[in-house]
Amino acid sequence: MIKENQRILNVILVFIDVLVIALALLVSLWLRFKTTLFGPIGGHLGSISYLLFFTFAVVPVYLILYFAFGLYKPRRTYKNIFSEATQIIKVNILAFISLVSILFIINQPDFSRIMLFLLAIIGTFFGIIERFTIRSVLKRIRVNNKNLKHILIVGDNDLAFTFARRIRDNPYLGFVVSGFLGRSEHIGRQIEGSRVIGSFDDIDEILDRNSFDRVVLAIPLKYYYKINELVESCERVGIKAEIIPDYIRYFPAQPSVDMIEDIPIINIRYVPLDDEFNKFLKYTSDYIISIIAIIITSPIMIITAIAIKLTSPGPIIFKQERIGHNSKPFMMYKFRSMKVQNPNEEKSEWTTRDDPRKTRVGEIIRKTSIDELPQFFNVLKGDMSVVGPRPERPYFVEQFKETVPKYMVKHQVRPGLTGWAQIHGCRGDTSITKRIEYDIEYVENWHMGLDLAIMIKTAVKKNPNAY
């Protein structure tokens, strides 16, 4: 029944997608030909030509790309829209390139390329709204105990119980645990709202008498010799067996799977910024934001430079070696806020709240974070990002990597001017362990929406640990 529902949903999604693309096209045509926003109109085609192009080019290209990027796959386990939004952005970029290429191939110079560009932008916006609305409606239906998938869990250990608890605590998933299979002595036992309905040896009988949508194998390592037998029992009745590996407890993060020939390799840490498209988005936004920030803050930087020069002997810009992406050192720029020091002392000393080394101007620019503004030039150089884990000095990196668990994980992305840890108050002389927890959370869960939220909170939220 659930599989049939999914097929019906996909047909409905395709129909809605076509309507949304058509609406985006109409808005794009109106903006291009009925307004003066995009300049004078040269030679252009009649409405019939645009209708034919929409029917035989635009719709097929979009639907093919939607299928290719997995936008018709079930997405019950996705907590938010960001992953799907990223795919929709990719679809519209490739659709624009494909449609322009088609026009070049058929030698149609009078077809408006500006209109296609508008279609890509508006189609992205409308597509994200459409999918967000549909996913929200589906989540609400599942929370109300409708359109549920029934799961049989094979296992009666902590791993199986933890999985069942996750299912129970997240009703938006639309799953319900209909029973466990475990050891004979546990039959009839009530666990996380479900019952042990049989032993491992009863699986064939249980599957014949019941209709399950999924069978999840969550058994201890010592019972792994039974996996082949359990998988065959599931496949006999046409159900795909899914395995939660017992060694998942050793995974420090969301794993991903790579393939070398026919051998799967489990990566124990998933880093979204390893994806080339995500890197491109991040780099592009960094360069644009840093250029805009430099232009806007240039009067502040000029005034700060003059104030430093007039009130304290020494250089205006303070350069210090930090450890960046892939553990490579770079020179980070700041406005000098302290008296000129011995370089050896500077490498190994923390800044404290009432640090006597601070100058009068330094006291002000550190509290307001103006001293960090030159780091936008580090962003332009590619050493840093606008948002990311804060970089540390080599002296402290050598210490922390031996004493703080997972400390070096933060170096898998470029360091930032601000970050997830900083907006949670982890700045200055605060807990390194807590800071790393936030940094790892950022590394593993990056998306453009998270960067935007961090930037906004950095701008509006005062940090009491800035000194």
Side-chain angles (χ1 to χ4, degrees):
M1 183 63 183
I2 290 294
K3 291 180 181 177
E4 183 63 29
N5 288 347
Q6 185 62 48
R7 282 193 288 269
I8 294 171
L9 175 61
N10 284 345
V11 171
I12 294 172
L13 275 178
V14 169
F15 179 71
I16 296 174
D17 285 338
V18 172
L19 291 180
V20 168
I21 295 165
L23 179 61
L25 181 71
L26 289 174
V27 174
S28 304
L29 287 168
W30 177 77
L31 287 173
R32 179 65 188 103
F33 297 117
K34 299 298 182 181
T35 70
T36 57
L37 294 174
F38 299 95
I41 299 169
H44 65 280
L45 304 173
S47 56
I48 297 298
S49 297
Y50 282 98
L51 178 61
L52 290 173
F53 191 74
F54 171 77
T55 304
F56 296 106
V58 175
V59 170
V61 165
Y62 267 92
L63 292 183
I64 290 169
L65 289 172
Y66 266 53
F67 275 106
F69 280 90
L71 288 167
Y72 295 114
K73 291 180 180 178
R75 290 176 176 259
R76 288 174 181 254
T77 56
Y78 285 58
K79 279 190 174 182
N80 54 53
I81 190 66
F82 291 110
S83 59
E84 200 165 20
T86 301
Q87 299 299 84
I88 292 171
I89 292 169
K90 292 178 183 178
V91 163
N92 280 274
I93 291 173
L94 286 177
F96 173 72
I97 295 171
S98 301
L99 293 171
V100 170
S101 300
I102 290 171
L103 291 175
F104 177 77
I105 292 169
I106 64 176
N107 191 23
Q108 183 52 267
D110 292 329
F111 198 99
S112 175
R113 271 64 170 174
I114 293 177
M115 188 279 294
L116 287 181
F117 179 72
L118 290 171
L119 173 62
I121 296 174
I122 297 167
T124 299
F125 181 67
F126 284 4
I128 291 172
I129 292 176
E130 172 215 339
R131 289 308 174 102
F132 176 78
T133 303
I134 291 172
R135 300 302 173 192
S136 298
V137 170
L138 289 174
K139 283 183 180 180
R140 180 58 61 93
I141 290 172
R142 291 163 189 156
V143 167
N144 291 327
N145 295 321
K146 296 178 181 177
N147 192 32
L148 299 178
K149 282 192 174 184
H150 296 269
I151 297 177
L152 173 68
I153 299 178
V154 180
D156 59 356
N157 57 333
D158 287 341
L159 180 62
F161 303 158
T162 300
F163 176 68
R165 195 176 305 119
R166 295 287 188 276
I167 296 298
R168 187 194 64 190
D169 293 344
N170 294 281
Y172 77 90
L173 294 168
F175 297 137
V176 59
V177 177
S178 298
F180 293 87
L181 294 186
R183 286 160 286 187
S184 299
E185 60 269 27
H186 289 165
I187 294 177
R189 181 180 172 188
Q190 199 78 12
I191 303 166
E192 299 295 337
S194 301
R195 198 165 54 87
V196 179
I197 58 177
S199 68
F200 297 141
D201 296 331
D202 298 328
I203 187 168
D204 289 319
E205 181 187 348
I206 296 292
L207 292 178
D208 284 335
R209 287 195 289 107
N210 297 275
S211 178
F212 298 106
D213 297 292
R214 304 176 74 164
V215 175
V216 176
L217 309 182
I219 59 178
L221 281 171
K222 65 181 181 180
Y223 291 117
Y224 268 35
Y225 69 91
K226 285 184 169 285
I227 281 186
N228 190 55
E229 177 187 333
L230 294 168
V231 170
E232 287 182 353
S233 294
C234 293
E235 291 181 341
R236 182 182 62 81
V237 294
I239 297 178
K240 294 178 182 177
E242 299 168 278
I243 300 173
I244 303 176
D246 190 42
Y247 46 84
I248 197 170
R249 69 190 69 183
Y250 304 114
F251 291 179
Q254 178 185 346
S256 60
V257 178
D258 197 4
M259 296 293 294
I260 297 180
E261 293 296 328
D262 58 345
I263 299 176
I265 305 292
I266 299 176
N267 300 312
I268 61 172
R269 192 171 302 283
Y270 172 65
V271 180
L273 283 170
D274 284 343
D275 179 83
E276 292 302 321
F277 184 78
N278 289 340
K279 281 183 185 177
F280 171 75
L281 282 181
K282 179 81 163 166
Y283 288 159
T284 303
S285 64
D286 279 340
Y287 289 134
I288 293 173
I289 291 169
S290 58
I291 289 171
I292 293 172
I294 288 169
I295 293 171
I296 291 174
T297 62
S298 56
I300 298 173
M301 288 197 277
I302 291 170
I303 293 170
T304 302
I306 294 170
I308 292 170
K309 196 64 179 175
L310 293 177
T311 58
S312 174
I316 294 171
I317 298 295
F318 170 68
K319 293 187 285 187
Q320 189 178 63
E321 187 179 39
R322 298 287 176 109
I323 301 299
H325 187 208
N326 291 328
S327 302
K328 293 179 181 177
F330 71 98
M331 298 305 293
M332 189 180 80
Y333 308 139
K334 299 179 76 172
F335 280 123
R336 184 174 60 83
S337 58
M338 295 192 177
K339 300 167 186 174
V340 178
Q341 309 166 62
N342 183 314
N344 292 325
E345 293 177 357
E346 166 203 302
K347 289 179 182 178
S348 57
E349 288 189 30
W350 284 104
T351 304
T352 57
R353 185 175 295 276
D354 298 313
D355 202 310
R357 297 171 296 167
K358 288 188 287 188
T359 63
R360 285 179 297 166
V361 172
E363 182 82 29
I364 298 170
I365 63 175
R366 289 183 76 91
K367 282 186 176 179
T368 55
S369 296
I370 290 174
D371 64 320
E372 311 280 1
L373 292 179
Q375 286 162 43
F376 282 113
F377 292 98
N378 282 118
V379 176
L380 287 181
K381 286 179 62 181
D383 295 328
M384 295 179 67
S385 177
V386 176
V387 178
R390 286 295 291 167
E392 193 48 83
R393 286 166 277 181
Y395 174 85
F396 291 111
V397 170
E398 290 300 316
Q399 281 189 348
F400 296 149
K401 74 178 184 180
E402 301 296 337
T403 58
V404 180
K406 307 174 189 173
Y407 180 80
M408 297 303 288
V409 172
K410 64 183 279 188
H411 298 102
Q412 294 185 22
V413 300
R414 286 188 299 163
L417 279 77
T418 184
W420 191 235
Q422 281 62 47
I423 65 168
H424 285 90
C426 296
R427 179 178 172 178
D429 190 12
T430 54
S431 169
I432 297 299
T433 302
K434 195 66 179 173
R435 193 182 306 182
I436 290 303
E437 287 177 7
Y438 283 120
D439 285 342
I440 292 175
E441 188 177 345
Y442 173 81
V443 169
E444 295 174 350
N445 297 281
W446 176 89
H447 51 77
M448 284 304 300
L450 180 60
D451 272 8
L452 180 62
I454 291 171
M455 284 185 274
I456 293 172
K457 287 185 179 180
T458 299
V460 302
K461 184 178 179 181
K462 184 177 180 181
N463 194 318
N465 296 314
Y467 48 80

